[in-house]
Amino acid sequence: MKETKSENGCSSMEEMLKECLQGLQEKIAKEGWLGISSGFQPLDDLTDGFENGKVYVIGGKPCMGKEEFMLSMIDNIIQKSQLPVLLFSTKKLKSEYFSRFLSIHCDIPTLDLNKGRLEPHLWKKLDEGIHTLDYDTLFIHDSLGIPLDELIETTRKCIKEKDISIVFIDCLQMIDIGNENGSPSERTANVMRSLKQLAIQENLPIIVGTMLANFTGYDEDYDYRRPELTNLPDSSFIGELADVVMFAHRPEYYHIYTDEHGEDLRGIMQIIVRKNSFKPLGEFNFNYKQETGAVFMKEETNASTYKPIRMEDLMDNKAVRNLIRKFDLEEFFPFKNE
Protein backbone atom coordinates (compact mmCIF):
# COMPACT_ATOMS: atom_id res chain seq x y z
CA MET A 1 0.00 0.00 0.00
CA LYS A 2 1.30 3.47 -0.81
CA GLU A 3 2.49 5.76 1.95
CA THR A 4 -0.37 8.06 2.95
CA LYS A 5 1.03 9.79 6.03
CA SER A 6 2.20 13.33 5.34
CA GLU A 7 5.31 14.97 6.76
CA ASN A 8 3.29 17.02 9.26
CA GLY A 9 2.16 13.88 11.08
CA CYS A 10 -1.40 13.84 9.79
CA SER A 11 -2.91 10.52 8.74
CA SER A 12 -5.21 10.05 5.77
CA MET A 13 -8.54 8.27 6.02
CA GLU A 14 -7.11 5.35 4.06
CA GLU A 15 -4.33 4.83 6.58
CA MET A 16 -6.70 5.19 9.53
CA LEU A 17 -9.12 2.69 8.00
CA LYS A 18 -6.31 0.17 7.65
CA GLU A 19 -5.28 0.71 11.28
CA CYS A 20 -8.91 0.30 12.36
CA LEU A 21 -9.25 -2.99 10.49
CA GLN A 22 -5.97 -4.24 11.96
CA GLY A 23 -7.38 -3.45 15.40
CA LEU A 24 -10.50 -5.45 14.62
CA GLN A 25 -8.36 -8.39 13.62
CA GLU A 26 -6.50 -8.22 16.95
CA LYS A 27 -9.79 -8.29 18.85
CA ILE A 28 -11.04 -11.25 16.85
CA ALA A 29 -7.78 -13.12 17.35
CA LYS A 30 -7.90 -12.62 21.12
CA GLU A 31 -11.48 -13.89 21.29
CA GLY A 32 -12.15 -11.55 24.20
CA TRP A 33 -10.95 -8.26 25.62
CA LEU A 34 -7.97 -6.36 24.31
CA GLY A 35 -6.80 -5.49 27.81
CA ILE A 36 -5.96 -7.32 31.01
CA SER A 37 -9.01 -8.83 32.68
CA SER A 38 -10.05 -7.35 36.03
CA GLY A 39 -11.57 -10.69 36.93
CA PHE A 40 -15.05 -9.15 36.84
CA GLN A 41 -16.42 -10.20 33.47
CA PRO A 42 -19.35 -7.76 33.13
CA LEU A 43 -16.97 -4.89 33.87
CA ASP A 44 -14.46 -6.23 31.33
CA ASP A 45 -17.21 -6.54 28.73
CA LEU A 46 -17.96 -2.84 29.22
CA THR A 47 -14.39 -1.51 29.31
CA ASP A 48 -12.57 -4.15 27.21
CA GLY A 49 -10.34 -4.88 30.20
CA PHE A 50 -7.39 -2.74 31.28
CA GLU A 51 -5.81 -1.64 28.00
CA ASN A 52 -2.20 -0.60 27.49
CA GLY A 53 -1.57 3.12 27.36
CA LYS A 54 -4.68 4.03 29.34
CA VAL A 55 -5.26 5.52 32.79
CA TYR A 56 -8.15 4.26 34.93
CA VAL A 57 -9.41 6.23 37.93
CA ILE A 58 -11.31 4.60 40.80
CA GLY A 59 -12.97 7.03 43.19
CA GLY A 60 -14.80 6.51 46.44
CA LYS A 61 -15.55 8.10 49.78
CA PRO A 62 -13.88 6.66 52.92
CA CYS A 63 -15.19 3.23 53.95
CA MET A 64 -16.55 2.50 50.46
CA GLY A 65 -13.92 -0.19 49.81
CA LYS A 66 -12.11 1.18 46.75
CA GLU A 67 -8.75 -0.10 48.02
CA GLU A 68 -10.24 -3.54 48.68
CA PHE A 69 -11.70 -3.46 45.18
CA MET A 70 -8.25 -2.71 43.78
CA LEU A 71 -6.67 -5.50 45.86
CA SER A 72 -9.36 -7.94 44.71
CA MET A 73 -8.61 -7.06 41.08
CA ILE A 74 -4.89 -7.49 41.76
CA ASP A 75 -5.61 -10.93 43.22
CA ASN A 76 -7.68 -11.82 40.13
CA ILE A 77 -4.90 -10.67 37.77
CA ILE A 78 -2.26 -12.62 39.67
CA GLN A 79 -4.32 -15.81 39.79
CA LYS A 80 -6.00 -15.81 36.38
CA SER A 81 -3.73 -13.80 34.08
CA GLN A 82 -0.54 -14.62 36.01
CA LEU A 83 0.92 -11.22 35.20
CA PRO A 84 3.32 -9.27 37.46
CA VAL A 85 1.63 -6.33 39.21
CA LEU A 86 3.18 -3.24 40.82
CA LEU A 87 1.23 -1.51 43.62
CA PHE A 88 2.25 1.91 44.94
CA SER A 89 1.16 2.36 48.54
CA THR A 90 1.14 6.09 49.30
CA LYS A 91 -1.07 6.01 52.41
CA LYS A 92 -0.22 2.80 54.24
CA LEU A 93 2.78 0.60 54.99
CA LYS A 94 3.29 -2.22 52.50
CA SER A 95 2.78 -4.70 55.36
CA GLU A 96 -0.77 -3.37 55.88
CA TYR A 97 -1.68 -3.78 52.23
CA PHE A 98 -0.09 -7.21 52.02
CA SER A 99 -1.96 -8.35 55.13
CA ARG A 100 -5.23 -7.20 53.55
CA PHE A 101 -4.26 -8.91 50.31
CA LEU A 102 -3.64 -12.19 52.16
CA SER A 103 -7.03 -11.86 53.86
CA ILE A 104 -8.68 -11.51 50.46
CA HIS A 105 -6.64 -14.23 48.77
CA CYS A 106 -6.91 -16.77 51.60
CA ASP A 107 -10.42 -15.83 52.79
CA ILE A 108 -9.25 -15.10 56.35
CA PRO A 109 -10.82 -12.31 58.45
CA THR A 110 -8.41 -9.39 58.56
CA LEU A 111 -8.81 -8.90 62.31
CA ASP A 112 -7.87 -12.52 63.02
CA LEU A 113 -4.84 -12.31 60.74
CA ASN A 114 -3.62 -9.03 62.23
CA LYS A 115 -3.98 -10.29 65.81
CA GLY A 116 -2.50 -13.71 65.03
CA ARG A 117 -5.77 -15.22 66.21
CA LEU A 118 -5.74 -18.11 63.78
CA GLU A 119 -7.55 -21.31 64.63
CA PRO A 120 -6.40 -24.56 62.96
CA HIS A 121 -8.84 -24.25 60.03
CA LEU A 122 -7.56 -20.71 59.34
CA TRP A 123 -3.95 -21.92 59.40
CA LYS A 124 -5.01 -24.47 56.79
CA LYS A 125 -6.55 -21.70 54.64
CA LEU A 126 -3.38 -19.63 54.98
CA ASP A 127 -1.17 -22.57 53.97
CA GLU A 128 -3.36 -23.48 51.00
CA GLY A 129 -3.65 -19.85 49.86
CA ILE A 130 0.07 -19.15 50.05
CA HIS A 131 0.75 -22.38 48.17
CA THR A 132 -1.16 -21.00 45.15
CA LEU A 133 0.81 -17.75 45.00
CA ASP A 134 3.55 -17.08 42.49
CA TYR A 135 6.10 -15.03 44.43
CA ASP A 136 7.11 -13.04 41.35
CA THR A 137 3.68 -11.58 40.57
CA LEU A 138 3.09 -8.88 43.22
CA PHE A 139 5.47 -6.06 44.11
CA ILE A 140 4.52 -3.31 46.58
CA HIS A 141 6.35 0.00 46.93
CA ASP A 142 5.40 2.13 49.93
CA SER A 143 6.29 5.78 50.28
CA LEU A 144 4.07 8.32 52.02
CA GLY A 145 3.55 11.18 49.59
CA ILE A 146 5.81 9.64 46.96
CA PRO A 147 7.51 12.17 44.64
CA LEU A 148 6.25 11.91 41.08
CA ASP A 149 9.77 11.49 39.70
CA GLU A 150 10.39 8.58 42.08
CA LEU A 151 7.13 6.92 41.06
CA ILE A 152 8.02 7.17 37.37
CA GLU A 153 11.60 5.98 37.92
CA THR A 154 10.48 3.05 40.10
CA THR A 155 7.86 2.03 37.55
CA ARG A 156 10.36 1.97 34.71
CA LYS A 157 12.90 0.09 36.81
CA CYS A 158 10.32 -2.55 37.80
CA ILE A 159 9.17 -2.92 34.19
CA LYS A 160 12.75 -3.61 33.17
CA GLU A 161 13.69 -5.86 36.08
CA LYS A 162 10.37 -7.49 37.06
CA ASP A 163 8.54 -7.42 33.72
CA ILE A 164 5.62 -5.52 35.28
CA SER A 165 2.48 -5.57 33.14
CA ILE A 166 0.11 -3.28 35.09
CA VAL A 167 0.46 -0.57 37.74
CA PHE A 168 -1.89 0.30 40.62
CA ILE A 169 -1.57 3.49 42.71
CA ASP A 170 -3.74 3.75 45.82
CA CYS A 171 -4.18 7.53 45.97
CA LEU A 172 -3.72 10.22 43.32
CA GLN A 173 -3.64 13.08 45.84
CA MET A 174 -0.69 11.57 47.74
CA ILE A 175 1.67 11.89 44.76
CA ASP A 176 4.02 14.81 45.34
CA ILE A 177 5.15 16.86 42.34
CA GLY A 178 7.39 19.11 44.45
CA ASN A 179 5.77 22.35 43.30
CA GLU A 180 4.54 24.13 46.43
CA ASN A 181 3.66 27.24 44.45
CA GLY A 182 1.17 25.55 42.19
CA SER A 183 -2.53 25.29 43.02
CA PRO A 184 -4.07 21.90 43.90
CA SER A 185 -5.74 21.88 40.48
CA GLU A 186 -2.44 22.46 38.70
CA ARG A 187 -0.76 19.70 40.72
CA THR A 188 -3.58 17.26 39.90
CA ALA A 189 -3.36 18.14 36.20
CA ASN A 190 0.43 17.63 36.19
CA VAL A 191 0.13 14.24 37.89
CA MET A 192 -2.62 13.06 35.52
CA ARG A 193 -0.68 14.19 32.43
CA SER A 194 2.47 12.47 33.72
CA LEU A 195 0.61 9.21 34.44
CA LYS A 196 -0.98 9.28 31.01
CA GLN A 197 2.40 9.87 29.37
CA LEU A 198 3.94 7.06 31.42
CA ALA A 199 1.17 4.64 30.44
CA ILE A 200 1.65 5.45 26.75
CA GLN A 201 5.46 5.37 26.80
CA GLU A 202 5.68 2.10 28.73
CA ASN A 203 2.65 0.58 26.97
CA LEU A 204 0.78 -0.61 30.05
CA PRO A 205 -2.38 0.30 31.97
CA ILE A 206 -2.26 2.42 35.13
CA ILE A 207 -5.06 2.28 37.71
CA VAL A 208 -5.14 5.03 40.32
CA GLY A 209 -7.45 5.62 43.25
CA THR A 210 -8.71 9.06 44.17
CA MET A 211 -10.42 10.78 47.05
CA LEU A 212 -13.73 12.48 46.43
CA ALA A 213 -14.77 16.01 47.29
CA ASN A 214 -17.36 16.51 50.01
CA PHE A 215 -20.95 15.84 49.03
CA THR A 216 -23.44 18.65 49.46
CA GLY A 217 -27.14 18.58 50.08
CA TYR A 218 -29.33 15.77 51.31
CA ASP A 219 -31.70 13.54 49.41
CA GLU A 220 -33.62 10.76 51.10
CA ASP A 221 -34.21 8.76 47.93
CA TYR A 222 -32.14 5.91 46.52
CA ASP A 223 -29.57 8.22 44.92
CA TYR A 224 -28.44 9.63 48.25
CA ARG A 225 -24.68 10.10 48.19
CA ARG A 226 -24.17 8.18 44.95
CA PRO A 227 -20.90 9.53 43.48
CA GLU A 228 -20.75 11.37 40.17
CA LEU A 229 -17.97 12.95 38.10
CA THR A 230 -18.67 16.28 39.79
CA ASN A 231 -17.60 14.73 43.11
CA LEU A 232 -14.05 14.26 41.84
CA PRO A 233 -11.62 16.79 43.28
CA ASP A 234 -10.44 18.95 40.37
CA SER A 235 -13.01 17.02 38.35
CA SER A 236 -12.31 18.87 35.11
CA PHE A 237 -8.71 17.61 35.02
CA ILE A 238 -9.29 14.07 36.29
CA GLY A 239 -12.43 13.58 34.22
CA GLU A 240 -10.84 14.88 31.04
CA LEU A 241 -7.45 13.18 31.30
CA ALA A 242 -8.59 9.76 32.56
CA ASP A 243 -9.68 7.19 29.99
CA VAL A 244 -12.09 5.48 32.38
CA VAL A 245 -13.57 6.76 35.64
CA MET A 246 -15.45 4.45 37.99
CA PHE A 247 -16.65 4.71 41.56
CA ALA A 248 -16.90 2.25 44.44
CA HIS A 249 -20.08 2.76 46.45
CA ARG A 250 -21.75 0.85 49.29
CA PRO A 251 -25.33 1.99 49.95
CA GLU A 252 -25.44 -0.23 53.04
CA TYR A 253 -22.95 2.14 54.72
CA TYR A 254 -25.61 4.86 54.52
CA HIS A 255 -28.30 2.47 55.88
CA ILE A 256 -29.80 1.98 52.43
CA TYR A 257 -30.67 -1.70 52.27
CA THR A 258 -32.74 -1.97 49.07
CA ASP A 259 -32.61 -0.30 45.68
CA GLU A 260 -35.46 1.23 43.74
CA HIS A 261 -36.39 -2.23 42.44
CA GLY A 262 -36.47 -3.78 45.91
CA GLU A 263 -33.18 -5.68 45.43
CA ASP A 264 -31.18 -6.38 48.60
CA LEU A 265 -28.11 -4.14 48.91
CA ARG A 266 -26.66 -5.66 52.09
CA GLY A 267 -23.15 -6.94 51.46
CA ILE A 268 -23.10 -5.24 48.05
CA MET A 269 -20.48 -2.97 46.48
CA GLN A 270 -21.66 -1.01 43.48
CA ILE A 271 -19.11 -0.21 40.80
CA ILE A 272 -20.41 2.76 38.83
CA VAL A 273 -18.68 3.54 35.50
CA ARG A 274 -19.22 7.23 34.78
CA LYS A 275 -16.64 7.73 32.02
CA ASN A 276 -15.64 5.11 29.47
CA SER A 277 -14.07 6.75 26.43
CA PHE A 278 -16.14 6.03 23.31
CA LYS A 279 -17.78 3.07 25.09
CA PRO A 280 -21.00 2.60 27.07
CA LEU A 281 -21.48 3.52 30.72
CA GLY A 282 -22.87 1.15 33.30
CA GLU A 283 -22.93 -0.06 36.88
CA PHE A 284 -22.66 -3.42 38.56
CA ASN A 285 -23.45 -4.98 41.93
CA PHE A 286 -20.61 -7.09 43.31
CA ASN A 287 -20.49 -8.96 46.60
CA TYR A 288 -18.40 -7.37 49.35
CA LYS A 289 -17.20 -9.42 52.33
CA GLN A 290 -16.34 -6.81 54.91
CA GLU A 291 -14.43 -9.06 57.32
CA THR A 292 -11.87 -9.97 54.64
CA GLY A 293 -12.27 -7.09 52.18
CA ALA A 294 -12.91 -9.44 49.26
CA VAL A 295 -14.96 -8.20 46.33
CA PHE A 296 -16.32 -11.01 44.20
CA MET A 297 -19.19 -12.19 42.03
CA LYS A 298 -21.64 -14.99 42.38
CA GLU A 299 -20.86 -17.81 39.98
CA GLU A 300 -24.21 -17.53 38.21
CA THR A 301 -23.60 -13.83 37.44
CA ASN A 302 -19.99 -14.18 36.38
CA ALA A 303 -20.74 -15.27 32.83
CA SER A 304 -19.42 -13.06 30.07
CA THR A 305 -21.87 -11.46 27.65
CA TYR A 306 -19.18 -11.54 24.98
CA LYS A 307 -19.63 -14.17 22.29
CA PRO A 308 -16.31 -14.76 20.53
CA ILE A 309 -16.14 -14.90 16.75
CA ARG A 310 -13.65 -17.38 15.40
CA MET A 311 -11.43 -16.43 12.50
CA GLU A 312 -12.66 -19.52 10.68
CA ASP A 313 -16.22 -18.18 10.80
CA LEU A 314 -15.18 -15.28 8.56
CA MET A 315 -13.47 -17.36 5.89
CA ASP A 316 -16.41 -17.28 3.47
CA ASN A 317 -17.57 -13.74 4.19
CA LYS A 318 -17.44 -11.78 0.93
CA ALA A 319 -17.37 -8.36 2.65
CA VAL A 320 -14.37 -9.40 4.75
CA ARG A 321 -12.50 -10.60 1.67
CA ASN A 322 -13.24 -7.33 -0.16
CA LEU A 323 -11.82 -5.29 2.72
CA ILE A 324 -8.72 -7.51 2.97
CA ARG A 325 -7.90 -7.02 -0.72
CA LYS A 326 -8.73 -3.30 -0.71
CA PHE A 327 -6.39 -2.49 2.18
CA ASP A 328 -3.70 -5.15 1.64
CA LEU A 329 -4.46 -6.88 4.93
CA GLU A 330 -3.46 -10.41 3.96
CA GLU A 331 -0.64 -10.37 6.52
CA PHE A 332 -3.14 -9.67 9.31
CA PHE A 333 -6.01 -11.87 8.10
CA PRO A 334 -4.49 -15.22 7.09
CA PHE A 335 -7.07 -16.00 4.43
CA LYS A 336 -6.35 -17.61 1.08
CA ASN A 337 -7.20 -15.53 -1.93
CA GLU A 338 -10.04 -16.72 -4.08
Side-chain angles (χ1 to χ4, degrees), residues 37-313:
S37 172
S38 67
F40 298 99
Q41 291 187 349
L43 179 61
D44 292 333
D45 287 342
L46 192 74
T47 63
D48 218 4
F50 294 127
E51 296 185 71
N52 291 340
K54 292 189 175 182
V55 175
Y56 299 77
V57 171
I58 301 175
K61 295 288 286 184
C63 302
M64 291 299 102
K66 65 178 180 293
E67 292 169 359
E68 286 88 345
F69 178 54
M70 294 171 74
L71 286 172
S72 294
M73 289 192 292
I74 289 172
D75 188 37
N76 291 337
I77 292 168
I78 288 173
Q79 290 193 77
K80 298 176 182 179
S81 300
Q82 299 181 332
L83 296 173
V85 178
L86 173 61
L87 168 62
F88 283 97
S89 170
T90 66
K91 298 192 301 181
K92 295 179 174 66
L93 295 175
K94 65 180 71 175
S95 58
E96 295 180 88
Y97 268 126
F98 188 68
S99 178
R100 193 62 159 168
F101 170 79
L102 279 181
S103 293
I104 292 170
H105 180 77
C106 302
D107 191 29
I108 297 175
T110 305
L111 186 61
D112 291 342
L113 187 62
N114 289 342
K115 291 183 175 293
R117 209 166 51 192
L118 300 181
E119 297 181 6
H121 74 283
L122 294 180
W123 277 107
K124 182 179 179 181
K125 279 190 171 183
L126 182 62
D127 177 53
E128 291 175 347
I130 291 175
H131 183 71
T132 64
L133 289 173
D134 183 340
Y135 300 156
D136 292 324
T137 51
L138 176 59
F139 303 89
I140 303 178
H141 179 283
D142 61 351
S143 177
L144 183 65
I146 185 172
L148 179 60
D149 291 344
E150 180 183 336
L151 185 149
I152 293 173
E153 181 182 353
T154 301
T155 298
R156 287 178 170 155
K157 182 178 180 181
C158 287
I159 291 171
K160 183 178 180 180
E161 297 179 358
K162 310 296 185 183
D163 199 25
I164 295 298
S165 297
I166 186 169
V167 174
F168 286 79
I169 306 168
D170 65 346
C171 186
L172 174 69
Q173 286 74 25
M174 294 299 290
I175 301 174
D176 181 14
I177 67 169
N179 181 10
E180 297 181 357
N181 297 324
S183 68
S185 295
E186 290 173 335
R187 291 198 291 271
T188 298
N190 286 336
V191 170
M192 285 298 298
R193 280 193 290 264
S194 296
L195 292 180
K196 181 64 177 177
Q197 185 178 35
L198 179 63
I200 292 173
Q201 290 177 344
E202 299 299 334
N203 196 35
L204 49 61
I206 295 178
I207 297 88
V208 57
T210 182
M211 304 175 185
L212 296 185
N214 290 330
F215 289 76
T216 58
Y218 184 90
D219 189 349
E220 292 184 345
D221 69 11
Y222 168 67
D223 286 334
Y224 175 52
R225 291 183 179 263
R226 281 166 60 82
E228 298 291 344
L229 290 175
T230 52
N231 299 126
L232 291 169
D234 308 311
S235 58
S236 60
F237 294 109
I238 297 177
E240 287 297 324
L241 294 171
D243 295 284
V244 176
V245 179
M246 65 185 82
F247 299 100
H249 180 60
R250 293 198 300 119
E252 181 182 18
Y253 181 82
Y254 299 108
H255 308 292
I256 300 172
Y257 302 114
T258 57
D259 65 13
E260 69 270 33
H261 303 296
E263 295 293 329
D264 191 359
L265 293 175
R266 286 170 293 190
I268 294 296
M269 176 183 290
Q270 295 180 330
I271 299 301
I272 305 167
V273 180
R274 281 292 177 259
K275 180 184 178 183
N276 190 21
S277 296
F278 299 112
K279 296 174 184 175
L281 304 180
E283 55 186 79
F284 310 95
N285 286 355
F286 298 146
N287 292 327
Y288 175 66
K289 192 173 183 179
Q290 189 168 359
E291 58 265 33
T292 66
V295 182
F296 58 97
M297 297 189 65
K298 294 179 181 178
E299 290 298 327
E300 60 266 27
T301 61
N302 202 30
S304 174
T305 59
Y306 176 82
K307 296 181 180 179
I309 299 173
R310 299 181 305 164
M311 297 287 286
E312 294 80 3
D313 295 336

